[in-house]
Each structure stands twice: as structure tokens, then as C-alpha cells.
Amino acid sequence: MTQAGSERDRDREQQAGDADLVAVRLEKLRELSARGISPFGGRFADTASAGEVKGDFDAFAGRTVAMAGRITARRSHGKAGFADLLDGTGRIQLYGRRDELGEDLYWLFDRLDIGDIVGVTGTVFRTKKGEISVALTGLVMLAKSLRPWPEKWHGLTDVELRYRARYLDLAVNQQVRRVFRIRSEVIAFLRNFLNERGFLEVETPMMHPIPGGAAAKPFVTHHNALDMDLYLRIAPELYLKRLLVGGMERVYEINRNFRNEGISTRHNPEFTMLELYQAYADYHDMMDLAEAMISGAARHVLGGTVVGEEGREVDLSPPWPRFSMVEAVRRFTGVDFAGLDTDAAAREAAAALVPVEPGDSWGQLLNRVFEEKVEELLINPTFIMDYPLEISPLAKRIEDRPELTYRFELFIGGREIANAFSELNDPLDQRERFEKQAARRAGGDLEAHRMDEDFLTALEYGMPPAGGMGIGIDRLVMIMTGASSIRDVILFPLLRPREEGTAE
């Protein structure tokens, strides 16, 4: 095929509908079979990758290599042609000549479609234009692509299609593959960091008879054999604390949680958390741990502590500022809640255009003003400490400020990244708080905690004082990569199904 003929072929593909293009590729499939070529091959033993060859050309120059990948471009020039092959490490150019490959293999090379997966052998060389390439001596078909790929491999830009057809997104967009490689490396670092400090990785149930450990609506399922409703885990907290009672003094779980809530750029109903507990520690220890772990992950994975995309960069260099919630609200709004009663707090909240609801307590008003007026301003890492008691049913009270608790949340980029407590280990206090939560639930708050008698029984045997912390892995990766939506860091985010049931 001449270069002009190749261009005409591409033009026809661009003008034709998907059904026509699939028909053309199916015809090519039949041609392959008629020539005795398997369109869907088997094992292929590669000896090098595109990244290795291009990264160390001098070591590979003149050597014969075998590699496999997907065709992303092709250019024919009669008796010779070029194609681009993409593997997991990058792209490399292929050069095929009729007199080198022979008629049959050159016919196959010339009939390749964008998206086909092939195995090649050949000699590494550099073209006159300086392009590192492989001069083909062998070619096998490993998987025939029957659907047209995004035009000219310039990238998949339809955001909806990117999420629905993540396989296309990953194949076409190198930046997307980088995001998920960073995600994997961050999780590996966190795991190693904790293992080196004596933490034990554990697994707790994902189906709970009583949902607990967070204020959230659960998903409900039913176990047929036991004829009982179960709830998909909203948090592993109450099970991990049972392990503290059992003498496992440092535990963590990288866990999937499920919350029946809305979907937004920061929320997906299924998400990943790191949750850990350390006996005989408190929330100050958890702050130190978070600071070292997250900044260490950035240095290890990204090579520095300034992370994110241009315009959304944050500096993770420790130490990170620590403010009480009261102090943070005073700094950013000028309102000192420490000197207000509930009525005055309600007036200040209303004056700041923050919603006020009948029956709001002082602590609820403080938290709402913080969420509405302060949270989004916390770009570089900031610990916000000492949360109101009524929104912290699992944290210890501050001795001289019993309306507050030893709890912090870590904010980066205006988002909550971590939540931690000096854990409540007084079973009588815990029962009283559960009872208040149950009353709120009876009053219509479907996210309030439920009474968990088994957990209370465990506390009555004695749980050591402890620090506990949960870190949102998805949001942390958003910070590390500069992603603006949580869907960009979850491989398969939840989406409403399309009626036709197809990805396109």
C-alpha cells in the first residue's frame, strides 16, 4: 500500500460509522484465518521492552530483541512501512521491509490495524532522523482488534467514555496509566512504612450485622442461609478495636468501604481507606505518623514533597500546622466560638450565611461554620484538632473541655484526607454516646451510629488507650497526582448504566 493509499484508508475509516469499521475488521479476521494465521495467538516470550531499549540504546544497538504490544500507528510506503508499538513501558517504532520479512509476513504487517496486539522480533537501530526503531525479522498476531480505536491515538477526551471504558482510557492516555502506577506505589509505600514500625496487617469482615465506625448510610444485603440482613462495611473501626482488646497492639487494614451516599468529585460509594490503631498512643502520635508517612510517600514515589499539577500544587514538607477547630474558625472568620453560648453561635453562623437548623447545638454550629467557611481554604497540609463531642462519638473527651474531643482531621488541598482520635476506651461513656446516637437515629438521622452491644462487651473487658487513624487513599492519590475528580483515581468508578448497555 502506498502512502497516499494509506492516507485514503484512514480517511475512509474516519468517515465511516463504527458498524462499517467493525465489518472491515471482521473481513480482515476472515482473511487471516483463510491464510492459516491465528488471529488470537498464545504465549509470546519477550526479551526487552520499549522503555528498556529506548532508555539504553547503546546496550541494545544491533541486538535482536523480541517484544509485544499494541499497534498505535502505521505508515506504509510500498515495499516498506513503519508502525508504532506500545507496551507497558512506552512506545517504539517498528520498521518492516518486504525483502526482509518475505511476502507472507509483509502482507500481515501491511494489514495491521490500529489496536492490534502483536509479537515482533527484530534488530534495534536508529533511523536517519534519529528515531530508535526495531527492524522487523518476525511478526505474529496475538490479538486482532475488532473495534476502531480513538482517532489517530491522540487520546481519549470524552470524559464520560473515559470512565465507562477505562480499558480504552488506559490504553490511549499515558498520563492515566501514570496515575494508577502512582496509586499502586503509594499503597505499597504505606504498607511497608507500617510494617517496618511493627504494625500487623489484618483483614476484618466486609459484611456487618450492625453497621458502625462512621456516620454513613449503609448498603443492605441479605444472607439466605442465615435468613438475616447484613450491611456492607462503612468502616472497619469497631472490628479493629476488638483486636486491640485481644492484645494486637499495632494493626492496620487497607480496606474497601461502601457508603450509600451521593456521587461527586470527592465521593464514590465504594472507596479505599487505610485504617490503623496503635495501643498506648494518642492523637498527637497519629499526627506525627501521618506527617511522616504522607511526606515520605511523596518523596519515595514522586521524588519530592511538592506534589500535584501546576496551579494545584501543595507542599507536603513537614512540619504541618496544627490548629484547634475553634482557633481555625477564629483565624479565618474572626468569630471566637470559645466565648459564645448556643444562641450567640447561631446568630454568628446565620450572619456568616451558614445554614442554621432548629435544635443545632454549639458544637454542630461550630463544625458547620468550619465546613462552610474554612475547610476549602486549607491548601497545604493542616491538622484541625479538638472536634465537638456530638459529632465525635468514638473519640475521648478533653478533660478540661468536655464539650470537645481528642480528634483531628487532616486537610490538604481543601479536602479532608485523614480522620483520627485518641480512642474512647471507657465502655460506660461509649454506651451513653451510642444511646444519644440511637436517639438521633430515631429522630430521623439515618447516618447516626447504632447500638453495638458486642462492641460494648469487648470494651468492658478492657481496651488499652490508643491512637487510631483513617486515611482516604483515593483522596490522597488525588493530591499526589493533581486529579480534580475522585473518578480519575479509581479504576472503575460507579456510573449510572446506559440503557443500550454498551461502553460507547
Side-chain angles (χ1 to χ4, degrees):
M1 182 183 293
T2 65
Q3 183 173 11
S6 177
E7 291 174 354
R8 284 196 301 270
D9 187 33
R10 286 198 298 270
D11 289 341
R12 284 196 299 269
E13 284 200 357
Q14 293 166 20
Q15 294 167 8
D18 282 356
D20 294 332
L21 295 176
V22 170
V24 170
R25 293 188 178 216
L26 285 171
E27 180 58 32
K28 288 185 178 182
L29 183 74
R30 287 188 284 270
E31 290 178 356
L32 292 173
S33 298
R35 284 176 170 256
I37 300 172
S38 173
F40 303 101
R43 182 179 183 273
F44 183 85
D46 58 346
T47 61
S49 68
E52 289 171 337
V53 171
K54 297 180 78 171
D56 193 2
F57 172 74
D58 290 341
F60 284 95
R63 286 175 48 186
T64 296
V65 296
M67 56 181 61
R70 193 182 294 276
I71 298 299
T72 63
R74 58 184 179 84
R75 304 168 293 283
S76 293
H77 301 276
K79 296 181 179 181
F82 293 91
D84 292 345
L85 180 137
L86 180 74
D87 65 13
T89 65
R91 183 194 64 83
I92 195 164
Q93 180 172 267
L94 307 178
Y95 174 59
R97 293 175 53 195
R98 187 191 304 272
D99 57 1
E100 183 69 33
L101 286 171
E103 290 293 334
D104 290 341
L105 284 185
Y106 191 77
W107 176 89
L108 176 59
F109 179 66
D110 197 45
R111 297 291 284 169
L112 291 176
D113 284 315
I114 291 176
D116 288 348
I117 299 175
V118 298
V120 302
T121 54
T123 304
V124 176
F125 77 107
R126 193 189 294 272
T127 67
K128 293 179 180 179
K129 293 183 178 180
E131 179 81 11
I132 295 173
S133 306
V134 176
L136 298 184
T137 56
L139 171 69
V140 295
M141 179 69 74
L142 299 178
K144 178 66 185 168
S145 176
L146 300 181
R147 285 185 174 269
W149 282 72
E151 179 186 349
K152 295 186 180 179
W153 210 266
H154 286 331
L156 193 61
T157 57
D158 184 321
V159 174
E160 180 80 2
L161 179 56
R162 285 184 53 223
Y163 298 144
R164 290 188 182 278
R166 182 67 87 185
Y167 43 88
L168 291 179
D169 192 25
L170 290 165
V172 171
N173 294 328
Q174 184 174 352
Q175 174 62 20
V176 174
R177 294 196 301 277
R178 174 181 175 271
V179 166
F180 289 103
R181 191 160 51 247
I182 289 173
R183 180 186 176 107
S184 179
E185 292 173 0
V186 166
I187 292 174
F189 176 87
L190 298 179
R191 179 176 274 118
N192 291 335
F193 181 97
L194 293 171
N195 290 345
E196 290 171 359
R197 286 157 179 76
F199 284 82
L200 184 67
E201 184 172 10
V202 297
E203 295 174 307
T204 62
M206 295 180 69
M207 294 190 296
H208 293 182
I210 300 174
K217 295 178 183 179
F219 289 96
V220 185
T221 187
H222 187 79
H223 191 288
N224 291 333
L226 296 178
D227 191 24
M228 63 182 293
D229 285 342
L230 293 168
Y231 303 88
L232 295 184
R233 174 171 61 196
I234 59 174
E237 178 166 346
L238 302 188
Y239 283 91
L240 291 171
K241 287 181 177 178
R242 287 170 169 91
L243 300 182
L244 292 177
V245 174
M248 300 176 74
E249 295 179 349
R250 296 189 179 202
V251 294
Y252 75 93
E253 184 173 10
I254 297 174
N255 56 88
R256 300 290 279 184
N257 292 327
F258 308 85
R259 298 183 183 176
N260 201 347
E261 58 190 14
I263 296 175
S264 73
T265 57
R266 300 187 184 186
H267 297 88
N268 191 68
E270 178 182 2
F271 61 96
T272 304
M273 290 278 291
L274 164 65
E275 193 147 328
L276 63 93
Y277 291 86
Q278 179 179 342
Y280 312 114
D282 66 8
Y283 77 152
H284 292 289
D285 297 297
M286 294 298 102
M287 286 185 239
D288 294 340
L289 194 66
E291 202 171 67
M293 185 160 47
I294 293 174
S295 63
R299 283 191 293 267
H300 178 79
V301 176
L302 302 174
T305 56
V306 177
V307 301
E309 299 290 340
E310 186 175 354
R312 292 200 301 271
E313 293 177 339
V314 298
D315 187 352
L316 301 180
S317 302
W320 299 343
R322 306 178 181 189
F323 303 125
S324 71
M325 183 179 283
V326 169
E327 183 181 3
V329 168
R330 184 174 63 246
R331 280 173 174 261
F332 286 93
T333 71
V335 178
D336 187 359
F337 269 74
L340 302 179
D341 60 20
T342 301
D343 290 340
R347 289 193 296 271
E348 291 287 354
L353 302 181
V354 172
V356 176
E357 299 176 3
D360 276 343
S361 67
W362 175 89
Q364 289 170 321
L365 291 164
L366 169 64
N367 182 62
R368 197 171 301 133
V369 171
F370 170 79
E371 290 181 340
E372 294 279 343
K373 299 298 180 180
V374 180
E375 182 175 319
E376 66 181 8
L377 305 177
L378 305 176
I379 305 304
N380 285 325
T382 306
F383 292 111
I384 300 299
M385 309 158 49
D386 306 344
Y387 274 58
L389 176 70
E390 50 266 61
I391 62 169
S392 310
L394 297 166
K396 270 185 180 290
R397 300 173 192 256
I398 297 177
E399 287 86 349
D400 58 349
R401 294 290 305 277
E403 74 277 13
L404 301 175
T405 62
Y406 292 113
R407 173 187 174 187
F408 76 78
E409 288 185 335
L410 169 63
F411 293 87
I412 308 177
R415 306 178 181 117
E416 176 208 340
I417 301 298
N419 185 23
F421 314 145
S422 292
E423 301 295 338
L424 177 60
N425 64 340
D426 179 343
L428 302 181
D429 189 357
Q430 184 66 81
R431 178 177 292 278
E432 180 181 343
R433 296 199 210 177
F434 275 168
E435 288 171 348
K436 290 181 179 178
Q437 289 284 308
R440 289 177 56 183
R441 182 173 182 80
D445 183 354
L446 298 181
E447 294 187 352
H449 284 70
R450 307 187 191 200
M451 181 68 70
D452 189 333
E453 289 290 351
D454 183 74
F455 174 66
L456 290 171
T457 298
L459 285 187
E460 289 169 359
Y461 281 100
M463 187 184 88
M469 177 166 57
I471 296 176
I473 297 296
D474 308 308
R475 291 184 182 179
L476 178 59
V477 176
M478 288 175 67
I479 295 298
M480 295 282 191
T481 61
S484 57
S485 171
I486 196 170
R487 293 181 178 185
D488 292 328
V489 299
I490 296 176
L491 279 169
F492 300 103
L494 184 64
L495 300 168
R496 186 186 302 276
R498 286 195 169 176
E499 290 184 4
E500 61 270 27
T502 62
E504 289 82 13

